């Protein structure tokens, strides 16, 4: 802490976080990856658990039993991604019991609780598993320990082991591709205990699923680098080592899933800015002929698919701010919705996810700004809450975090824009902080804490926080999402500014006390907006891009920026140059707190440093904070406490609340 006021803010943040989390230490506080048996009799979910305000939360697998969440196995470390076998008799999940962060397959048989049996270790860390339709085999997606994480997961390398080398030893990169950088497919056969590699050398499999009992569909590329995902293709693999391309696309492909009889493949086609953050069109591909059908999901951007049987395909997705689930009658192509709700069904994930029973019920994690996460099974008879994470700490947050409401406004070109406004339960006008989401292709929903810890913290201190979904956001169809491609920092700039104008006109926001905060693309936009408009009293860009030219030669997703800007760094005057905030620093009058993680490979910390130094050279108040153990975003405690304290102090200094 540099000064006594920041130290005081740190103590206030600690008190806030303890009031929120301490009553549930040792219990699940955030939920994701729900799964359910085909008959709906048993449900499991991954829970994030804090034991103290240190490090990252661990995860554990919980079963819903008599209205409570009960850990299914008591092993040490973390566990996640639990999946029931087709007959419901065996639960498979991933756990890192032998080495922290390196997950391997474990099996819990006979429908019980207790100590799981480990399967043979795969060479790397298992990211996901899928049972074959006949229940005889388990497909494993295995990441090498040197593979990159996506920016949505925090960037940096995936579980890279620290070797015992002297402190002077250099970091080395050469032309050779590190074998530990690849993602490969393995198959485990429980009856024989054998583990067999499926994918051949030279094929990087980002994600995969079964296509009948004897083939696998995968999103694959010929290179393992994170940038290669953006041009990956849909491939079919068989157990003879043959690989056949099924589909190429000018945009991104994800979430492959084959029908139980192998007759069809479902895949999502979407314009995407981050691997793992996918919402788009539902396609059905005939693996025999390659014929593609596009399914009408009533303007829902699909975010997950699951085959119920060979003729019924379940899906979840986002439509504007709503979560939607439906079932496609595949022969006829018609989709019937199971539910559409204003509640978020994302859990602790980016977009709506869930699991279907054989009779079409849907298990989801539901929450809102005023509803702590619940595990809910939904069918024709309505919702059945299986378990809730509510506790005295969530009661505390509800008492201080104000209220959330949907707001809409019209951009200068006539496009309607919407967002979620979180505000104190008092009369405005309030000092307003605009919270810019990442991506740019992602979208806010009305969800618990808005997925950003600074939102309820700021509201509790008297600030209103606008969480906008500008053009380029998910949930509005691919045409809306693509409006940001080739124009980042263009028309979407005015989506934010017109939203602020609207809240000022409505008496919600004080025009002289408006601030910005955002991470990733939100960090870029927080840096960019202060170069385009002088109204902002303070800004906090986190993990930003501020110089698209240097980003092109330092990031692990370098060519993504070129595609989304439609610019060439070697050609002066393209958007790579004209949309770089650092080259407009002389226009800035806004004090900026620039934040980055030293381990960030997506938006390296030099981006924050460039903007900081450019601002200082132009006499603008600026601070630079680089966290040495953080990647893309600041996630672990106590670094997150420190960040929240600095954010709070920065806004209180330059746009104080009453």
């Amino acid at each position: 802490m540099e000064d006594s006021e920041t130290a005081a803010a740190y103590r206030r943040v600690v008190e806030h976080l303890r009031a929120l989390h301490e009553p549930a230490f040792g219990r699940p506080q955030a939920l994701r990856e729900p799964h359910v048996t085909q008959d709906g009799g048993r449900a499991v979910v991954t829970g994030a658990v804090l034991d103290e305000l240190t490090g990252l939360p661990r995860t554990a697998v919980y079963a819903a039993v008599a209205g409570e969440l009960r850990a299914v196995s008591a092993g040490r470390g973390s566990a996640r991604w639990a999946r029931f076998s087709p007959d419901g008799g065996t639960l498979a999940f991933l756990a890192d019991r032998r080495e922290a962060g390196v997950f391997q397959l474990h099996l819990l048989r006979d429908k019980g609780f207790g100590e799981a049996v480990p399967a043979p270790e795969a060479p790397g860390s298992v990211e996901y598993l899928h049972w074959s339709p006949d229940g005889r085999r388990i497909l494993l997606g295995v990441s090498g320990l040197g593979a990159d994480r996506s920016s949505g997961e925090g960037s940096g390398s995936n579980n890279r082991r620290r070797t015992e080398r002297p402190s002077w030893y250099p970091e080395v990169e050469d032309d050779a591709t590190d074998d530990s950088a690849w993602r490969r497919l393995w198959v485990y056969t429980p009856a024989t205990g054998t583990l067999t590699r499926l994918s051949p050398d030279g094929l990087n499999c980002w994600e995969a699923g079964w296509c009948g009992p004897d083939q696998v569909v995968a999103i694959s590329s010929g290179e393992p680098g994170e940038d290669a995902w953006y041009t990956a293709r849909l491939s079919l693999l068989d157990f003879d080592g043959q690989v056949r391309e099924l589909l190429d696309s000018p945009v991104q492909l994800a979430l492959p899933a084959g029908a139980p009889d192998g007759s069809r493949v479902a895949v999502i086609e979407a314009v995407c800015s981050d691997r793992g953050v996918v919402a788009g069109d539902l396609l059905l591909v005939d693996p025999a002929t390659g014929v593609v059908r596009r399914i009408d999901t009533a303007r829902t951007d699909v975010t997950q698919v699951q085959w119920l049987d060979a003729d019924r395909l379940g899906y979840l997705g986002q439509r504007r701010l709503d979560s939607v689930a439906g079932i496609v009658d595949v022969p006829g192509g018609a989709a019937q919705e199971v539910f559409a709700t204003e509640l978020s069904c994302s859990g602790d994930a980016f977009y709506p996810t869930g699991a279907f029973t054989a009779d079409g019920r849907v298990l989801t994690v539901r929450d809102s700004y005023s509803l702590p996460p619940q595990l809910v099974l939904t069918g024709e008879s309505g919702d059945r809450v299986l378990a809730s994470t509510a506790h005295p700490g969530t009661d505390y947050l509800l008492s201080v975090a104000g209220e959330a409401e949907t707001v809409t406004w019209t951009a200068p070109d006539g496009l309607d824009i919407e967002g979620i406004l979180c505000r104190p339960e008092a009369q405005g006008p309030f000092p307003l902080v605009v919270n810019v989401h990442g991506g740019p292709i992602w979208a806010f929903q009305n969800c618990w804490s808005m997925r950003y810890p600074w939102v309820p913290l700021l509201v509790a201190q008297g600030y209103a926080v606008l969480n906008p979904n500008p053009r380029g956001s998910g949930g509005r169809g691919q045409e809306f999402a693509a409006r940001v491609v080739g124009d980042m920092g263009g028309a979407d700039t005015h989506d934010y500014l017109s939203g602020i104008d609207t809240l000022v006109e409505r008496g919600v926001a004080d025009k002289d006390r408006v601030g910005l905060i955002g991470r990733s693309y939100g960090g870029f936009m927080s840096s960019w907006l202060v170069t385009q408009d002088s109204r902002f009293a303070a800004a906090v860009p986190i993990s930003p891009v501020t110089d698209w030219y240097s980003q092109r030669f330092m990031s692990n997703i370098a060519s993504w920026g070129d595609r989304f800007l439609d610019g060439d760094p070697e050609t002066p005057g393209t958007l790579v140059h004209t949309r770089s905030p650092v080259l407009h620093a002389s226009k800035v009058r806004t004090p900026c707190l620039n934040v980055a993680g030293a381990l960030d490979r997506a938006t390296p910390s030099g981006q924050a440093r460039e903007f900081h130094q450019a601002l200082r050279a132009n006499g603008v108040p600026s601070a630079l904070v680089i966290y040495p153990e953080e990647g893309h975003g600041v996630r672990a405690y106590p670094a997150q406490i420190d960040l929240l304290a600095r954010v709070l102090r920065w806004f209180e200094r330059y746009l104080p609340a009453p």
Side-chain angles (χ1 to χ4, degrees), residues 188-208:
Y188 176 63
T189 305
T192 62
T194 56
L195 182 67
T196 306
R197 183 171 147 186
L198 176 63
S199 58
D201 285 339
L203 191 73
N204 191 77
C205 295
W206 299 98
E207 51 185 326

Side-chain angles (χ1 to χ4, degrees), residues 294-625:
R294 196 172 298 268
I295 301 299
D296 181 3
T297 55
R299 304 180 311 283
T300 298
D301 283 348
V302 177
T303 58
Q304 186 178 354
V305 293
Q306 177 189 331
W307 290 92
L308 280 67
D309 54 45
D311 292 330
R312 293 182 301 155
L313 177 66
Y315 67 90
L316 290 102
Q318 183 166 333
R319 184 169 59 221
R320 299 188 78 103
L321 296 174
D322 289 350
S323 298
V324 179
I327 299 174
V328 178
D329 172 51
V330 174
Q336 181 176 356
E337 290 185 2
V338 179
F339 67 73
T341 176
E342 296 178 353
L343 300 176
S344 167
C345 291
S346 303
D348 191 26
F350 291 104
Y351 277 126
T353 62
F356 287 80
T357 63
D359 61 4
R361 288 171 290 167
V362 190
L363 181 72
T364 57
V365 176
R366 294 195 178 186
D367 59 22
S368 74
Y369 194 71
S370 59
L371 177 69
Q374 298 178 333
L375 189 63
V376 179
L377 187 62
T378 303
E380 292 183 355
S381 59
D383 297 336
R384 183 159 68 96
V385 178
L386 304 184
S388 171
T389 61
H391 56 82
T394 59
D395 293 341
Y396 156 75
L397 194 66
L398 291 171
S399 72
V400 301
E403 56 193 14
E405 61 180 291
T406 299
V407 291
T408 60
W409 63 93
T410 304
D413 62 358
L415 192 65
D416 68 299
I417 307 296
E418 59 193 359
I420 304 293
L421 175 67
C422 302
R423 53 180 288 180
E425 295 175 353
Q427 287 296 112
F430 305 101
L432 176 71
V433 175
V434 181
N435 183 36
V436 186
H437 70 59
I441 304 177
W442 181 52
F444 285 115
Q445 287 186 289
N446 187 337
C447 57
W448 185 246
S449 295
M450 297 307 297
R451 302 286 183 268
Y452 288 95
W454 51 74
V455 173
L457 175 65
L458 288 170
V459 175
Q461 306 302 316
Y463 295 88
V465 181
L466 175 63
N467 308 276
N469 284 341
R471 68 194 69 205
S473 298
R476 298 277 298 270
Q478 293 307 289
E479 181 183 353
F480 188 87
R483 284 176 178 266
V484 77
V485 179
D487 192 38
M488 295 192 297
D492 59 338
T493 296
H494 303 286
D495 296 343
Y496 300 102
L497 298 179
S498 57
I500 296 168
D501 291 339
T502 298
L503 294 184
V504 170
E505 292 169 3
R506 294 175 183 174
V508 175
D510 180 343
K511 67 180 180 62
D512 296 320
R513 291 184 293 165
V514 179
L516 294 163
I517 189 171
R519 183 176 67 206
S520 193
Y521 187 79
F524 158 70
M525 189 55 69
S526 297
S527 304
W528 176 250
L529 284 170
V530 299
T531 73
Q532 303 300 297
D533 196 295
S534 60
R535 76 179 72 190
F536 299 104
V540 184
I542 303 172
S543 304
V545 175
T546 67
D547 182 349
W548 290 104
Y549 181 86
S550 61
Q551 168 79 359
R552 174 63 180 86
F553 301 105
M554 296 188 68
S555 171
N556 69 341
I557 52 172
S559 62
W560 166 82
D562 290 350
R563 286 192 294 270
F564 265 59
L565 282 171
D566 192 22
D568 180 358
E570 293 190 6
T571 303
T574 66
L575 294 185
V576 173
H577 304 276
T578 61
R579 296 283 170 84
S580 290
V582 72
L583 300 182
H584 298 266
S586 63
K587 305 173 186 176
V588 180
R589 301 295 180 267
T590 303
C592 292
L593 172 64
N594 304 280
V595 179
L599 305 181
D600 193 343
R601 291 170 57 82
T603 59
S605 60
Q607 294 291 311
R609 184 179 295 278
E610 283 189 45
F611 199 53
H612 166 67
Q613 294 187 172
L615 294 176
R616 293 286 294 273
N618 285 279
V620 180
S622 178
L624 175 67
V625 180

